[in-house]
Amino acid sequence: MPLNRTILFVLPLLAAAPALAQTTVTGQPATGGASSATSGGQNAVTRPNTDHAYDGKAVATGTGANVKLERGANSFTKGEARRRLERAGYHEVKDLTKDGDGIWHASAMVDGKHASVGLDFKGNVAVQ
């Protein structure tokens, strides 16, 4: 088959490829208008951003003695971890270090008492 005929044969297939890529396993478009554009994409599977409180109050995903910290890849910088602990009500945060499980550990003051606290990759804060 000459090159020109091959191009004419392959070109319509390439043009249809984006439409095929947007269908489900059944070959039908997703129902309900769901698409990666409307599903939230990567934001739907990552931790919520609790860095900014809307009412100026402390914000944390979970705070207290009953919270179980979860291991995982922690992307918080040391400064972000310190700010999250402070927003959760801890002050005089010292000796802030991240362990091999991705959990930030520190000593801090809360209600006039010394406490060992931790912060996981989801933003959960717990007394340890």
Side-chain angles (χ1 to χ4, degrees), residues 7-96:
I7 291 173
L8 290 175
F9 178 75
V10 173
L11 194 56
L13 294 174
L14 292 174
L20 293 173
Q22 295 177 7
T23 61
T24 61
V25 178
T26 63
Q28 301 298 317
T31 59
S35 71
S36 60
T38 59
S39 69
Q42 184 66 23
N43 293 332
V45 295
T46 57
R47 62 180 162 72
N49 183 355
T50 56
D51 286 336
H52 305 288
Y54 297 107
D55 58 3
K57 295 180 182 174
V59 175
T61 304
T63 306
N66 296 331
V67 176
K68 183 176 184 323
L69 299 178
E70 296 183 40
R71 297 171 26 182
N74 196 320
S75 63
F76 295 129
T77 64
K78 192 172 192 175
E80 290 170 330
R82 180 179 306 280
R83 283 188 295 277
R84 284 189 176 248
L85 291 171
E86 289 170 349
R87 285 188 187 130
Y90 299 94
H91 52 279
E92 296 182 35
V93 177
K94 298 178 186 172
D95 305 321
L96 187 59

Side-chain angles (χ1 to χ4, degrees), residues 61-72 74 76 85 90 99 101-106 116-128:
T61 304
T63 306
N66 296 331
V67 176
K68 183 176 184 323
L69 299 178
E70 296 183 40
R71 297 171 26 182
N74 196 320
F76 295 129
L85 291 171
Y90 299 94
D99 68 16
D101 291 330
I103 297 175
W104 284 98
H105 299 276
S116 293
V117 295
L119 170 76
D120 69 8
F121 74 102
K122 291 183 176 181
N124 293 318
V125 177
V127 176
Q128 301 176 308

